[in-house]
Amino acid sequence: MDLFSRSWAALRTAVAELADEDFARPSGCTGWLVRDLVCHLVIDAQDVLITLVTPAGTEPTRDAATYWNLVEPPTGDDPLDALIVRLAAAYEEPWLLKFHLDDVGSAAGRAAGLADPALRVATQDMVLTAGDYLHAYVLEWTLHHLDLIAHLPDAAQPPAEGLARSRELLEKIAGAAFPASFSDKDALLIGTGRRAPAEAEKAELGELAARLPLAIG
């Protein structure tokens, strides 16, 4: 629960520190500018709030790893992705996006801090404990933090513990470990297709290389 809060706070701080011109830069998400990604984070925060107040009366059907499904790599042509682009453009001024993310995002952070980790919650036809749900979102926040700063070399990186925990979770999803020589950041970028492996890295990956990228959704 604490790592969720730290990862989410770090991501919101990174958004708050963006210059206006940064919102028009490309992000690490295919087809999205930084402003589109920030708009997506607003919707993510709403999802967290909705899920934490949607209790379930049945046993959990998923955990933090199985919450994620392997999907086709994004192309930027998905209708929902296109809707995000239109919504982001409607804000017009970057400060409006910053304000909305801070407002809804802060509420999501408070709700997470108050949640009972053992509470069973329902989302997308799944039942998880609140603890597992928030653990799954550490991976979401960490990957999107990397997406946010993909073309902003001076921006702050995600928390080191969030990178490490996200790598562990991605390895559970993959059912295989990334080479020990890979940094946590590189394991996440290469593992999810955000960066192509160099030839030496591909050799280290061995059979796992043929299964990459692991696009999750």
Side-chain angles (χ1 to χ4, degrees):
M1 307 285 278
D2 185 52
L3 186 54
F4 170 96
S5 298
R6 292 203 304 276
S7 298
W8 184 220
L11 178 50
R12 287 170 19 236
T13 297
V15 172
E17 292 175 349
L18 293 174
D20 284 359
E21 58 268 23
D22 292 334
F23 281 75
R25 299 183 191 277
S27 77
C29 295
T30 302
W32 279 359
L33 301 176
V34 165
R35 72 181 186 188
D36 306 322
L37 174 57
V38 175
C39 185
H40 171 73
L41 295 177
V42 172
I43 295 173
D44 266 352
Q46 293 172 342
D47 286 345
V48 170
L49 282 168
I50 292 168
T51 300
L52 291 179
V53 294
T54 307
T58 58
E59 291 298 313
T61 59
R62 304 285 184 97
D63 59 22
T66 56
Y67 169 83
W68 297 105
N69 295 311
L70 294 178
V71 298
E72 290 298 316
T75 63
D77 297 326
D78 182 87
L80 183 57
D81 291 349
L83 174 61
I84 294 292
V85 171
R86 294 197 298 275
L87 287 173
Y91 279 87
E92 295 186 351
E93 298 292 337
W95 72 266
L96 288 169
L97 259 176
K98 285 185 177 182
F99 173 80
H100 199 181
L101 179 63
D102 180 65
D103 191 34
V104 181
S106 295
R110 291 192 297 272
L114 293 169
D116 177 356
L119 175 71
R120 288 170 290 187
V121 295
T123 181
Q124 304 176 60
D125 298 322
M126 297 180 277
V127 176
L128 306 89
T129 65
D132 271 337
Y133 174 71
L134 295 176
H135 182 188
Y137 257 81
V138 171
L139 178 58
E140 175 84 352
W141 300 150
T142 302
L143 288 175
H144 281 330
H145 196 142
L146 293 173
D147 291 330
L148 184 80
I149 66 174
H151 301 282
L152 299 169
D154 296 328
Q157 298 288 319
E161 188 179 353
L163 287 165
R165 191 71 61 83
S166 296
R167 176 189 184 146
E168 290 174 6
L169 194 53
L170 187 62
E171 289 178 337
K172 285 185 180 179
I173 295 167
F178 291 96
S181 62
F182 283 26
S183 69
D184 294 332
K185 178 180 176 180
D186 284 334
L188 291 169
L189 293 176
I190 293 170
T192 59
R194 285 165 165 82
R195 174 169 85 72
E199 286 303 316
E201 291 170 326
K202 190 179 296 185
E204 285 192 80
L205 285 164
E207 294 181 0
L208 181 58
R211 296 171 48 201
L212 302 181
L214 299 169
I216 58 174

